[in-house]
Amino acid sequence: MSMYKPNHHLKGFSKQHAGELTILVGDPARVTLFTELLTNPQTIVNNREFVGVSGLFSGKPVSIMSTGIGSGSTEIAVIELIACGAKRLVRVGGCGAWQDHVHPGDIIMNNAMARTSGMLNSYVPDSYPAAACPILFNTIYQTLISQGRTVHSGIGLTTEGFYQSQGRDLNLFGQQEAQQQLEYWKMRRILNAEMETAVIYLLASLYGIPAANCLVAHVTRKDNAWVADLDYQTLHKAAAKAVIESIINSIE
């Protein structure tokens, strides 16, 4: 038996709040945005970067939890959510598109993630895959396609950092060296980069919990074109609604 509370950081969260699906977001403010999709929502967690809400969608319980940015806080959220009885995990967030055929505002779904070395090495070696649940992935993917959304699927990259490891240099080693990082992964057909999905996929696999993602391409690295903030929020909310609908409607 563990000596740790399952909700040490997700204070107040328990199995009754997890529901059939837990949506994971990085930004706590996005929890508020997605809560508009639920009926009878209740804020359960409000501790540091972790904000959690539980409510109903089509009469079935759904939860939304923020993870903060990056691998460390995402590990905490995922481990404690699973310990508290989470059944399915889907990250709905943003990413940078690295392949030239992707446009700002497109949807990216990753069937698997490459990753830079870091925290996950305490669980498994780098050779252990970080992969989505194919059933959960396909359920979401088919719904998005049926809605006429532009969806790109493939392998993404989860990095430990935002700057150098994603090919960005702020007056340190020079942009040429940083650009080599970007080009290295582009040549290996990495579709996009972000900072959380590999943590979710790998830990979910170890615990036997289905996981997937649904990401909005908020910037294209070929031309550094960004989605406007207002449009970005609208796109995220639409993506979250599609994810929740697809999964809740698939549950008998």
Side-chain angles (χ1 to χ4, degrees):
M1 180 176 292
S2 174
M3 63 183 291
Y4 302 106
K5 292 182 179 179
N7 58 357
H8 182 74
H9 299 87
L10 307 185
K11 298 181 184 299
F13 197 85
S14 63
K15 186 174 182 179
Q16 71 186 71
H17 303 122
E20 297 293 338
L21 166 67
T22 301
I23 297 293
L24 299 174
V25 301
D27 183 359
R30 204 166 295 138
V31 175
T32 303
L33 178 67
F34 291 177
T35 297
E36 297 173 6
L37 300 171
L38 305 181
T39 56
N40 301 322
Q42 291 183 309
T43 299
I44 309 299
V45 180
N46 191 350
N47 182 43
R48 299 189 180 189
E49 62 266 63
F50 307 114
V51 175
V53 169
S54 181
L56 299 176
F57 187 92
S58 295
K60 295 181 179 177
V62 172
S63 55
I64 305 167
M65 183 70 68
S66 61
T67 64
I69 296 176
S71 60
S73 60
T74 301
E75 176 212 31
I76 290 171
V78 171
I79 292 288
E80 295 190 13
L81 282 167
I82 293 173
C84 288
K87 295 181 179 180
R88 301 168 182 85
L89 302 173
V90 179
R91 166 164 150 71
V92 179
C95 68
W98 283 18
Q99 294 298 329
D100 293 350
H101 65 280
V102 183
H103 301 287
D106 288 355
I107 294 293
I108 291 177
M109 292 189 64
N110 297 119
N111 56 294
M113 303 299 291
R115 61 186 185 271
T116 56
S117 295
M119 179 272 297
L120 290 173
N121 290 87
S122 62
Y123 290 93
V124 292
D126 285 337
S127 57
Y128 192 99
C133 167
I135 298 173
L136 197 63
F137 178 98
N138 190 57
T139 298
I140 299 167
Y141 181 84
Q142 293 299 333
T143 295
L144 290 167
I145 293 298
S146 70
Q147 293 178 354
R149 303 295 297 272
T150 300
V151 185
H152 308 275
S153 63
I155 299 174
L157 172 68
T158 295
T159 63
E160 292 281 318
F162 178 80
Y163 286 101
Q164 198 71 20
S165 56
Q166 291 192 20
R168 299 181 177 95
D169 184 276
L170 265 62
N171 305 314
L172 188 59
F173 304 120
Q175 189 56 40
Q176 183 176 358
E177 180 174 324
Q179 189 69 20
Q180 291 174 358
Q181 293 272 1
L182 181 63
E183 294 302 325
Y184 174 87
W185 289 110
K186 283 185 67 176
M187 290 178 64
R188 287 153 180 81
R189 299 187 184 278
I190 288 297
L191 186 59
N192 59 302
E194 49 85 86
M195 298 175 64
E196 295 84 24
T197 295
V199 179
I200 299 165
Y201 283 7
L202 195 150
L203 293 176
S205 293
L206 291 177
Y207 279 96
I209 300 296
N213 73 1
C214 180
L215 307 178
V216 177
H218 60 84
V219 61
T220 50
R221 296 298 297 277
K222 64 180 177 181
D223 52 10
N224 204 38
W226 291 78
V227 175
D229 286 346
L230 185 59
D231 293 337
Y232 190 50
Q233 299 304 317
T234 300
L235 290 167
H236 270 281
K237 187 175 180 180
K241 183 179 180 182
V243 168
I244 297 171
E245 283 180 340
S246 66
I247 295 171
I248 293 303
N249 290 342
S250 71
I251 299 172
E252 296 180 356

